Amino acid sequence: MTPTTYHLLGRTGLRVSRLALGTMTFGTKNGWGCDRATSRSMFDAYLASGGNFIDSADIYTQGTAEAWLGEFMAETGTRDRVVLATKYSFNHQNPQGNPNAAGNGRKNLMRSIDASLTRLKTDYVDLYYLHAWDGITPAEEVLRSMDQLVRTGKIRHWALSDVPAWYAAQITTLAQCHGLEVPCAVQLEYSLVQRGIEYEFPAMCQELGLGLVAWSPLGGGLLSGKYRPNVDAQAQEAGRIKSTAAVATPALNKLTPRNWEIVAALESVAQALGQPMARVAINWLAGRPALSSVMLGATRLEQLEDGLCALDFELPRELRDRLDQVGALPSLFPYNFLGAVQPRLHGGASVSARPPHLDQLPATRSGGWR
């Protein structure tokens, strides 16, 4: 299994594995997920494979995920080995009429980190995410609050999840200008069937030095191979995607004609490689520009073990191109316009940001600096 190679997350010294373990399925309080024994078996298998990057959130299974994860680390003595990530923003306690028990503000942040540390049975987390942008809290308040948590030792690094690209760029630039702790990563939904982030985020991450972490690499299960077109949604195999398919919100509906075309192409590529569809989908995603880690979630041990083998083979260029093209985003303004006028912006000369050989440096420096 591949997760035994590590890399730095963004512009930090934090070493993380290319495949991360998501714990949103640890617990059954949401009506789906897995029991404690299964969760523990996946925790053990992930660490045994060499993985070290484990992701949770205060809202996952109403706090059960964090509590179990804290117990697993304590029982195995692996807290120092684990790069522990968790999140805040959503209303966990659900008190009616208390808007300060949710959102991105300092009051909720301070309450949330203390509660998470208690459940996780630790005095610090390695990576603390703003879970989702609330649209109103000033970026300066979030930034200074996260900087304070780093200075007090409750968190080692901080990051953003599910935010607009302009907001991530704004808060990163403010941090750099004021000498405050800079966010080191963004975590976003990304898969063959969800590629909207490609317009802005990969380029932003590369320019600002942010790691890019992908959640839902299988499109909520659509790319696992268990869903097929021309089958009524109610007859599809049980899973989380089944419960969201009937929701009117387009963002939640993965069972669309476009996505069935992507599923068909993925199945063809998987058959050509002799690999399961899920592994191919994860392998493709791990090779995308700026991608740091892919979040693996599962409800059964065999699902996780299958995902952990996703980087054990090479996806040939021609097959990768086939997958790139089937789900490619339409060219929109200003990107199509800017691409067309580039020659005129350089006087007809060939100009690049850096000499080509600098882009060919090895990803690791174990052999010394060049």
Side-chain angles (χ1 to χ4, degrees):
M1 297 182 183
T2 309
T4 50
T5 59
Y6 309 92
H7 59 274
L8 300 181
L9 183 64
R11 289 178 181 164
T12 73
L14 195 62
R15 284 81 164 160
V16 298
S17 47
R18 294 181 67 194
L19 299 178
L21 175 63
T23 64
M24 190 168 66
T25 59
F26 282 21
T28 58
K29 289 185 178 180
N30 292 337
W32 50 270
C34 52
D35 59 23
R36 190 183 190 281
T38 302
S39 300
R40 173 61 190 272
S41 69
M42 292 195 291
F43 172 87
D44 291 340
Y46 176 71
L47 292 185
S49 76
N52 74 338
F53 193 12
I54 302 183
D55 179 89
S56 194
D58 58 358
I59 198 173
Y60 289 171
T61 54
Q62 302 176 41
T64 300
E66 283 188 331
W68 285 0
L69 182 54
E71 292 169 5
F72 298 161
M73 291 187 296
E75 291 164 1
T76 57
T78 52
R79 172 63 191 93
D80 191 52
R81 176 184 167 186
V82 168
V83 175
L84 176 62
T86 195
K87 313 178 190 74
Y88 89 103
S89 289
F90 289 98
N91 191 326
H92 176 247
Q93 296 178 334
N94 197 34
Q96 294 297 319
N98 184 5
N100 287 304
N104 301 157
R106 180 178 287 120
K107 182 176 176 66
N108 185 48
L109 187 154
M110 297 302 183
R111 178 192 64 80
S112 298
I113 184 62
D114 288 340
S116 287
L117 292 176
T118 298
R119 285 189 293 270
L120 290 164
K121 301 183 186 304
T122 185
D123 56 2
Y124 75 98
V125 296
D126 298 290
L127 184 63
Y128 198 46
Y129 283 101
L130 179 151
H131 199 160
W133 182 53
D134 67 11
I136 57 174
T137 301
E140 295 85 349
E141 179 173 328
V142 174
L143 173 57
R144 292 192 179 279
S145 300
M146 289 292 192
D147 182 78
Q148 180 183 349
L149 289 182
V150 172
R151 293 174 186 274
T152 58
K154 290 187 177 182
I155 66 175
R156 299 294 186 256
H157 303 278
W158 74 281
L160 299 161
S161 174
D162 302 333
V163 298
W166 68 262
Y167 178 83
Q170 177 196 42
I171 205 166
T172 300
T173 303
L174 284 172
Q176 293 170 339
C177 290
H178 292 285
L180 301 174
E181 189 69 23
V182 178
C184 65
V186 289
Q187 184 181 141
L188 302 156
E189 183 178 4
Y190 194 13
S191 72
L192 274 165
V193 295
Q194 181 57 274
R195 295 174 60 177
I197 72 166
E198 291 181 355
Y199 284 119
E200 295 280 358
F201 281 93
M204 182 201 71
C205 288
Q206 290 176 330
E207 286 295 319
L208 298 181
L210 300 176
L212 178 57
V213 180
W215 62 266
S216 196
L218 298 181
L222 183 64
L223 303 173
S224 65
K226 67 181 181 180
Y227 295 94
R228 289 292 184 268
N230 303 319
V231 177
D232 185 81
Q234 298 303 315
Q236 297 281 4
E237 184 174 338
R240 184 156 52 100
I241 198 171
K242 177 181 176 182
S243 63
T244 59
V247 178
T249 306
L252 297 179
N253 182 18
K254 294 292 197 299
L255 306 180
T256 65
R258 169 190 178 271
N259 288 354
W260 289 131
E261 291 182 10
I262 295 172
V263 169
L266 174 62
E267 183 175 22
S268 175
V269 170
Q271 289 175 348
L273 290 169
Q275 294 286 346
M277 291 172 60
R279 290 186 193 175
V280 176
I282 294 169
N283 189 299
W284 173 86
L285 183 58
R288 299 301 290 166
L291 213 290
S292 297
S293 287
V294 177
M295 197 73 58
L296 302 182
T299 55
R300 302 194 308 273
L301 176 59
E302 55 268 29
Q303 290 176 328
L304 177 64
E305 290 176 332
D306 187 66
L308 289 171
C309 296
L311 305 186
D312 289 349
F313 63 94
E314 182 178 353
L315 183 58
R317 183 71 263 171
E318 63 273 14
L319 296 182
R320 178 175 291 277
D321 288 344
R322 189 189 305 178
L323 294 177
D324 288 351
Q325 293 165 9
V326 71
L329 298 172
S331 182
L332 302 176
F333 183 87
Y335 314 104
N336 52 3
F337 171 78
L338 293 174
V341 302
Q342 286 305 301
R344 296 180 61 186
L345 293 173
H346 302 298
S350 176
V351 181
S352 60
R354 60 187 64 84
H357 70 276
L358 292 182
D359 289 327
Q360 299 172 10
L361 292 175
T364 61
R365 303 291 187 174
S366 57
W369 292 93
R370 289 189 175 183

